[in-house]
Structure formats: C-alpha cells, structure tokens
Amino acid sequence: MPFQRYGIRRYGNGDIIHVPFVRAGHWVFGTGLRAVRPNGLADPAVLRADHPLGAPPQAQREAQAIFDTMRRHLEEAGSGLDRVARLDQYYPDPRHVDPYHVARKQALAGQVAPSTSVIVDRLLNLDVSMDVQVMAATAASGYTVEKAGTGKLNVPQTSGYAPCLRMGDMIFVAGQLARDASGNIAPEAQVPAGQMWNGTRIKLETDYLVQKRLVPALDAAGSRLDLVLKAQVYLSHHEDLPAFWQSWSRAFGGRVPPTTVVPVRHPGFGTRDATIEVNLVAAHESAADRVRDVECDVSLIATDMLPARVFDGVLFVAGLMGIEDGGLCAGCHVHPSAPFYDDPVQAQMRDILEKAATIFAAAGTELAYVTRALHFHADLADFRRGYVAWDPGLRRTGLPFSAIQVADTLFLPGAAVILDLWGYVP
C-alpha cells in the first residue's frame, strides 16, 4: 500500500474532488480539514446556528469534529493521533485559536506535535473557523516520537505543542517567531526604540529567529541548517520579501533549501508585533547521505534556491508562482485593449503546474503522486479558475488540496496564487 487515497469528497457541482487524506509510503498527509459534510458545506450539527449561545463555542465544536475525522482516517490509513508529527492551522479570526487549542489538547491527550498557526483573510467555507493540515507516520514505519527542545525553546502554555520533534530520521520544527522568554519580540530583533533607522526590522527579526530559535531547535534534535528539507515562511509585510531573502540566503550560505514564502496581513501571528513566522522540516544528521537535491531549470522567487529535495520517499518542493525573470510569466499578462480572451489566473496556474511537472519528473515521480497542494490566493474568488488548470485526469481522481486567501498582494502586481506542493517518490 505505497500510495492510497482516503475520504474522497465532491464539492460544488461535484466536479471539485477533494482527497483529504493520502497515505504515501511511511507517511499520511491530511489536507484541507474543515468541519464540513461530504458535499463541502459546513456541518449544521456542528454550527448549531439555532443554538448560538450553547457551550462549547463553535470553534471548539469544529475542532472536535475535525479531530474526530482525523482520528478515523488516520487509523484507516494505518496511523493514529499518537503518531502525528506536524500540524498547521489557518484561521480567519484570532478569537478561534484558543477554543481550537482546547479541543486539540483533548484530542491529542496533551501530546501536541509541532504546530504553526496563522491568521488569514478567508477560507473556502465562509462560515467555518479553521482549516487544518496534519502529517503523521504509519504504524508500519516503526517510527517513534522523540521530543526535542522542550525546556530550551519557550512556547505559549495555552498551545501546549512540542517545539521540535523527531519522527524516524525526520525533524519537525514548529512555527517560530523572533521572541524571547517573555513571549514578546526580542529587543535584539527590533530597531532600537526611538530610532528611525539603525538596522532593518525584517533582517533583525529574521537573523534572531534563525540563530536563536531555528538553529537551537535543530541542534537539540540532532540536525542543522544544511539539512533543512523544506521551510514555510509567512511575512506580514509583503514588501519585506527582498530584505528577508538577503538574511535568509546568508543563513544558508547562498544555497537555500526549498522554501515557500507566503504574505499575510499584519498582525498575523500569536505575538502581535511579529512580522515573520517560520517552520521547518529537516533530516537528522545521521541520515545526511539520504538527502537528495533536485536540480532543474524552473523560475522561482530566487535563483539561489533549490527547487526541491527528496528524503525517504517524500518530495519537498519550493513554493511556486507564475513568474519568470523576476516578474509575472509572459503568458500571464492580459492586453488592456483586449482583456476578454485571456484568463490570467489560469495562465499562472498552468505555468506553475508546468514547473511542478518538471520538478516531479526530475525527482523521479509525477504529479499523480502529489500528497498536498496548498493554494494561497490573493482572492479566493479565483480558486475555481486556478483549480481547473490541473490535469483533468488528476481532477477526476481527486486532489489533496486546500485553498486559503492570505493577502491582497502576493509580492507582484497581478499575482493570483502561490502553490505549496508536497509529493511522494515511490
């Protein structure tokens, strides 16, 4: 059972087919988990619109429903909640976070895996409170959970997650902010009070986050920066991207691992003043010789970044946009005098998926083995237009996708979508 889909659902007119769970080798991926029915609409038994004052609050009820679904499908796929290695959550309102945490602690018996929570603009369902992603090891893998960094890296007590975890030879680092033991942004990560220029805020924050948060987490788990397989970076000021990349590239000696950078509105993180959050997946130092770099000619947001890495059958792909030479790809522009012949959203997705196919082929696999596809949009009204750019055969089989509206501007004027892909190499 190297690759298997679970819980297939049909949304809209039935032509949007969601595969919420995929088993790929030793791992199970859950993507786009919301408290919805098989038709994609929010579950009225969870919303309880006719009982708005009932306890627990709606966000907690939704989380309970999500973890019930998660438990059922993980077990069906040969895993379980006790084998969860990573969680990612997107919320349209920060008030939903604490009720979710209550349900998450209960579901995971207090043993919460490394987690990243981000505030976003909209979800695919306008009446739900969260969209959750999970990654868990199968029982057949023989992998066991080893926590690291506990007591060395501070985490919010209400969250209760492990800052870093080893599962097999894979290291998972929770979303990190440039905060100190107080829970606030460290003074070293800020321009000195009262000064208009004495360092660049995003560089100071990034440098602190890397050296004081990420490096210690990796070291505690037996890894290091050059073994990072994938990073997800969230920036709450999109204009910070160039300066951020200078610091990010320097941290990796000019050879950046696959990185997806996503803009969100400010404030977007648990510490209000934070402007960046980063999570990582890395290989253990004992398995360094199993890390394989994937090289191919595709246009990314930076020329010094690897398109992908492969480790133990998992393909970690850099964030993809419809870009070339630092701007939108040629086919993504609409002529102002004849705007009705072209669809720039579909054009961007076609460009992205061509790049993805090239990367997957270079890794020795194909897009049929996508295990997660996160679409980050400037406007979710564009989602369907981008979704239909996927190969019709893949759409008929179903995709392990979600879609999130994150910010009005995705770094470039006219950019509509950033695609974050994970895959399987049999």
Side-chain angles (χ1 to χ4, degrees):
M1 193 188 296
F3 191 87
Q4 183 70 38
R5 301 172 178 86
Y6 299 89
I8 295 175
R9 300 175 169 201
R10 294 177 178 271
Y11 301 158
N13 295 324
D15 59 345
I16 294 180
I17 303 175
H18 178 213
V19 179
F21 287 87
V22 172
R23 176 173 175 169
H26 292 318
W27 295 96
V28 181
F29 294 81
T31 304
L33 309 183
R34 301 181 302 282
V36 300
R37 303 175 77 178
N39 62 2
L41 300 181
D43 188 343
V46 174
L47 296 186
R48 298 204 317 233
D50 55 341
H51 293 80
L53 302 181
Q58 178 183 324
Q60 187 174 336
R61 298 195 302 269
E62 288 182 46
Q64 289 168 342
I66 289 169
F67 281 103
D68 286 344
T69 299
M70 188 186 298
R71 178 186 297 106
R72 183 171 69 255
H73 287 303
L74 287 179
E75 290 175 356
E76 183 183 9
S79 184
L81 291 178
D82 59 333
R83 297 182 180 277
V84 170
R86 169 183 169 128
L87 289 160
D88 298 89
Q89 299 88 193
Y90 302 101
Y91 313 88
D93 190 316
R95 292 175 296 182
H96 303 327
V97 179
D98 280 337
Y100 168 80
H101 284 166
V102 172
R104 185 176 68 179
K105 281 184 178 180
Q106 291 174 345
L108 299 178
Q111 303 300 311
V112 181
S115 169
T116 302
S117 291
V118 180
I119 306 305
V120 298
D121 280 3
R122 289 200 294 180
L123 306 177
L124 283 170
N125 296 83
L126 302 181
D127 50 355
V128 304
S129 307
M130 65 206 65
D131 188 300
V132 179
Q133 335 304 317
V134 64
M135 185 174 174
T138 64
S141 69
Y143 300 159
T144 57
V145 176
E146 298 179 35
K147 292 184 180 179
T150 304
K152 296 181 180 179
L153 297 171
N154 59 294
V155 299
Q157 291 301 310
T158 56
S159 302
Y161 61 82
C164 189
L165 177 150
R166 178 180 177 182
M167 185 83 80
D169 285 327
M170 213 173 283
I171 309 300
F172 299 87
V173 179
Q176 297 294 319
L177 306 175
R179 57 189 175 197
D180 57 19
S182 72
N184 297 314
I185 299 303
E188 308 97 293
Q190 304 180 60
V191 175
Q195 299 189 30
M196 295 180 63
W197 56 82
N198 187 353
T200 301
R201 170 62 183 260
I202 188 60
K203 288 186 174 182
L204 294 171
E205 214 168 323
T206 302
D207 290 345
Y208 182 94
L209 191 158
V210 170
Q211 296 303 323
K212 302 296 185 180
R213 306 289 295 180
L214 298 180
V215 169
L218 290 171
D219 182 67
S223 188
R224 55 183 190 262
L225 286 177
D226 64 302
L227 295 177
V228 170
L229 302 168
K230 184 180 178 78
Q232 287 178 323
V233 178
Y234 299 93
L235 297 177
S236 66
H237 297 297
H238 68 86
E239 65 273 15
D240 282 344
L241 177 61
F244 156 75
W245 200 265
Q246 288 179 319
S247 290
W248 191 243
S249 178
R250 184 173 61 251
F252 291 96
R255 187 172 176 80
V256 179
T259 300
T260 299
V261 186
V262 179
V264 296
R265 294 185 187 273
H266 188 85
F269 315 118
T271 298
R272 178 176 291 273
D273 291 339
T275 66
I276 178 174
E277 182 161 3
V278 180
N279 64 56
L280 301 177
V281 183
H284 191 266
E285 58 190 0
S286 66
D289 60 347
R290 302 207 305 271
V291 177
R292 176 163 63 92
D293 294 345
V294 177
E295 305 271 11
C296 54
D297 186 16
V298 294
S299 293
L300 304 172
I301 62 169
T303 58
D304 57 353
M305 178 167 60
L306 288 166
R309 274 183 156 171
V310 177
F311 183 74
D312 288 356
V314 181
L315 176 60
F316 301 90
V317 184
L320 300 175
M321 298 180 68
I323 56 175
E324 60 184 19
D325 300 326
L328 285 181
C329 60
C332 299
H333 294 282
V334 174
H335 198 285
S337 67
F340 310 114
Y341 300 121
D342 301 300
D343 186 330
V345 177
Q346 282 197 29
Q348 289 178 48
M349 274 299 292
R350 284 196 298 269
D351 178 83
I352 287 169
L353 292 172
E354 287 174 4
K355 292 171 180 171
T358 298
I359 293 169
F360 273 59
T365 188
E366 56 184 309
L367 288 179
Y369 289 110
V370 167
T371 58
R372 175 172 293 162
L374 294 176
H375 302 67
F376 295 105
H377 281 275
D379 187 346
L380 269 180
D382 295 334
F383 163 68
R384 185 180 177 88
R385 296 160 62 193
Y387 174 86
V388 298
W390 282 89
D391 177 81
L394 294 179
R395 285 191 277 122
R396 284 192 296 271
T397 302
L399 292 166
F401 76 87
S402 193
I404 313 291
Q405 181 173 316
V406 288
D408 291 339
T409 301
L410 303 185
F411 303 124
L412 287 170
V417 61
I418 299 168
L419 187 63
D420 183 68
L421 287 176
W422 304 56
Y424 174 57
V425 182

